[in-house]
Amino acid sequence: FDSLVLVGSFYPSCFILFIGFYQIAVINILTGIFVDNAMKLAVPDRDDRALKLKQDDEEAREQLLELFSECDTRGTGKVTVDAFDKHLRANNGKLQAQLGLFGLPVNLAANLFRVVEVVCRDAGLCNEKEANILSLVDSCMQLKGQASSLHLHCVAGDLVHLSDMIQEQNELCEMLNKKLATGPTGDFAYVDVISPNC
């Protein structure tokens, strides 16, 4: 630098700019490489994410069990729709807000129990009037969160299957109506016993 000062002020200024730019560029590149590697190492792998998801589900299950156990005022291991509705409205809707945190936006107890009855598929454990607490928790674990693409495709498949079954029933009804209409001798003796839509 001292040698460049003898030549004039332009070259020392260029030298300082070069050294400054070089230092900043090299430091930025090295810092970027280290930070990039650190970020790659900080991302949890698939096993860690699966374990975390399982732990979150277990924690949610325990919290739901605790919430629904508070609604079991008789100590029978079952929650009635009336007791649940009472707890749903108590404490300025605290239970409703807590269920909302689990992705279960429950406004009416009767609606939840109707859906749980369908999900549970065991009338002895769940029906429109009361539900076993463990079955209620299991059903709510299936219902919590947003519907995924898989859920929607399953529903679409069920609807197609149901539509096929209805079509078969309509064809069977039409065939039976034709047989009843012609009578045993083949003469026209129409009897409207089975409606066309069954």
Side-chain angles (χ1 to χ4, degrees):
F1 179 77
D2 292 336
S3 302
L4 291 174
V5 171
L6 298 174
V7 187
S9 63
F10 176 71
Y11 291 111
S13 302
C14 288
F15 181 70
I16 291 173
L17 287 174
F18 172 74
I19 296 298
F21 174 75
Y22 179 76
Q23 289 292 326
I24 291 172
V26 168
I27 290 173
N28 277 340
I29 290 170
L30 291 176
T31 303
I33 291 170
F34 286 119
V35 168
D36 188 46
N37 287 335
M39 293 300 288
K40 286 179 183 175
L41 293 174
V43 174
D45 64 354
R46 187 174 31 203
D47 292 338
D48 290 339
R49 290 189 310 241
L51 181 62
K52 175 78 170 122
L53 184 64
K54 184 174 181 183
Q55 289 171 344
D56 290 346
D57 277 352
E58 287 300 320
E59 185 179 319
R61 183 179 299 280
E62 290 174 15
Q63 290 174 354
L64 283 171
L65 184 61
E66 184 180 322
L67 287 174
F68 290 132
S69 294
E70 291 174 6
C71 299
D72 180 20
T73 55
R74 299 175 295 163
T76 59
K78 293 185 175 186
V79 177
T80 64
V81 69
D82 295 331
F84 184 76
D85 193 49
K86 180 181 173 185
H87 277 79
L88 197 62
R89 299 187 191 302
N91 298 328
N92 293 325
K94 178 182 174 185
L95 177 61
Q96 184 177 359
Q98 290 173 332
L99 289 173
L101 292 174
F102 289 107
L104 296 165
V106 178
N107 295 328
L108 296 173
N111 290 346
L112 176 67
F113 276 70
R114 274 195 297 272
V115 172
V116 165
E117 179 183 15
V118 172
V119 173
C120 184
R121 296 180 191 258
D122 187 348
L125 296 175
C126 301
N127 58 49
E128 287 186 8
K129 300 294 181 199
E130 68 179 6
N132 175 286
I133 292 177
L134 293 176
S135 298
L136 187 61
V137 169
D138 289 340
S139 298
C140 286
M141 287 299 292
Q142 293 178 36
L143 295 171
K144 74 181 184 77
Q146 302 293 325
S148 69
S149 178
L150 177 64
H151 293 120
L152 297 178
H153 281 86
C154 287
V155 169
D158 288 345
L159 289 174
V160 168
H161 181 67
L162 185 60
S163 174
D164 291 343
M165 289 174 55
I166 290 172
Q167 181 64 31
E168 289 174 10
Q169 292 298 318
N170 281 339
E171 290 171 2
L172 181 64
C173 289
E174 287 176 14
M175 183 180 74
L176 288 173
N177 271 338
K178 286 179 184 176
K179 284 187 178 183
L180 288 173
T182 57
T185 60
D187 298 335
F188 182 74
Y190 182 78
V191 180
D192 190 15
V193 176
I194 301 175
S195 70
N197 295 328
C198 286

